[in-house]
Amino acid sequence: MESTESSAHSSDKPPQGLADLVGTAIALLTLTIPLYAIARYSSNSVEVMQQVTYPLPEARE
């Protein structure tokens, strides 16, 4: 059962330059788009609502 054809496990690797470039671009977009969206849509001034206080009834004895 000898085969003269090359095996499926050849030492030649397919070129992955484009896949690496696309993967890097996707990773960078995944990290930067949320930061941009937060910076773009968050307001610079934060309105703090005053806490309403009510007088407590005095204890009767």
Side-chain angles (χ1 to χ4, degrees):
M1 281 214 152
E2 280 187 43
S3 175
T4 58
E5 296 178 24
S6 63
S7 67
H9 302 291
S10 67
S11 62
D12 297 333
K13 291 184 179 179
Q16 294 181 346
L18 180 62
D20 289 341
L21 184 65
V22 171
T24 301
I26 290 171
L28 288 175
L29 289 174
T30 301
L31 293 173
T32 56
I33 287 177
L35 295 175
Y36 172 76
I38 290 170
R40 172 79 170 93
Y41 294 108
S42 65
S43 64
N44 291 335
S45 62
V46 177
E47 295 180 20
V48 179
M49 295 181 64
Q50 293 290 334
Q51 186 175 15
V52 179
T53 58
Y54 298 100
L56 295 175
E58 294 182 19
R60 297 182 184 172
E61 290 188 37

